[in-house]
Amino acid sequence: MIPLLALIVLLNNSSGSDPAIRDLGIGVKTMKVSGTFSTSGDQNLSGLPFSALMDTSDAFRLTIGGPFGITTARMWAERDTFVFVNYLMQEAHEGRPDAKSLQRVLPFPLPASYLMALMRGKAPGNSDRFSRSEPRTDGSVLFEYHDTSGVEYLLIDTVHSLIRQYQRKGLSGEIQLDVAFKDVSEVSSVQLAHVIDISVQDKHQTASFRIEHITINEPIQERLMVDIPPTFVRTSYR
C-alpha cells in the first residue's frame, strides 16, 4: 500500500503543468489597463489609445480609441466565443476564437485570448503543452512545444515569475511570431510588463502596446459584453 503522503506527492506531481508555468500570473485576479497602441507594416497606426478589462473568469473587453475621443473598435471574448466590432468599417466578426478561418484573416497569428493571457502574465492557451528545454544559466527557463506546424517557445524569468518572451517558429525555423515583454515594474507586489512588442514574419508587421496605467484585483463592475449594431455586416467563424 502506498503511504498517504507519498500518494499526495504523486498526485500533485502528475496533475498539471510545471510549477514555473503554473505560478505565472498567480497574483492577478482582475486587471484594468490603459495606454497606447501602435502598428507598422501593412497597417500603420501610431499612438491610438486603448483600454482592457479582464475579470476573474478570464473574460475580457478590449477597446481601441481614435481621434477626438471616438471608439474605433471593441472586442469581447470568453474561452469559447468572441465578438469584434469595427465601428469605422461598420462590420462585426463573431464566433470561436480558435476557428481556423479566423486565424487566416488576423493581422497577427495571435488569438486575442492569448494576448490577454500574456498581458496579465499568464502562459497562453493550455500551459500543460509546454515542456522544459535545455537548462540555462541566466536565471530563466525556456519551455517549448512541438506540433505539426512548428515550435512554440516560452522564456520565463523564474526569479520574478514572469514571461520575458513568447515565440513561434515554423518547421523550417523561420520566426512567425515574436512577443517581447519589457519595462517590468511592480504593481501591487506583482511584477508586470508595461511594454509588449509584437512582430510577425521577421518584423513584416509589428505592433506595440505601451501600458501607462495598470490596476489589479479590484472588482470589475462594468459590463464586458459588446453589442453588435443591427445594421453592421456580420461575419461568423465556427
Side-chain angles (χ1 to χ4, degrees), residues 158-215:
T158 56
V159 175
H160 299 99
S161 189
L162 57 87
I163 300 171
R164 290 294 184 181
Q165 188 176 23
Y166 170 69
Q167 191 177 84
R168 185 184 303 151
K169 290 185 177 181
L171 294 175
S172 61
E174 76 280 7
I175 299 177
Q176 298 176 340
L177 174 69
D178 186 81
V179 185
F181 301 85
K182 306 172 182 177
D183 192 15
V184 174
S185 60
E186 189 174 282
V187 177
S188 299
S189 301
V190 178
Q191 297 288 331
L192 293 170
H194 287 63
V195 174
I196 301 176
D197 289 334
I198 305 170
S199 66
V200 179
Q201 301 293 356
D202 196 22
K203 298 185 179 181
H204 173 72
Q205 180 75 34
T206 69
S208 183
F209 290 88
R210 296 296 195 265
I211 300 173
E212 298 170 357
H213 303 285
I214 305 179
T215 303

Side-chain angles (χ1 to χ4, degrees), residues 90-115:
Q90 296 190 3
E91 60 185 24
H93 304 265
E94 59 179 339
R96 294 187 57 86
D98 58 354
K100 291 183 178 179
S101 56
L102 173 64
Q103 301 305 313
R104 288 193 291 267
V105 301
L106 287 174
F108 303 102
L110 181 68
S113 58
Y114 276 30
L115 175 61

Side-chain angles (χ1 to χ4, degrees), residues 111-129:
S113 58
Y114 276 30
L115 175 61
M116 292 298 107
L118 290 166
M119 190 174 289
R120 65 197 295 170
K122 294 184 177 182
N126 182 4
S127 61
D128 291 347
R129 72 187 188 278

Side-chain angles (χ1 to χ4, degrees), residues 8-25:
I8 292 173
V9 172
L10 178 62
L11 291 174
N12 284 340
N13 287 341
S14 61
S15 63
S17 58
D18 188 296
I21 289 184
R22 188 179 63 239
D23 294 342
L24 289 172

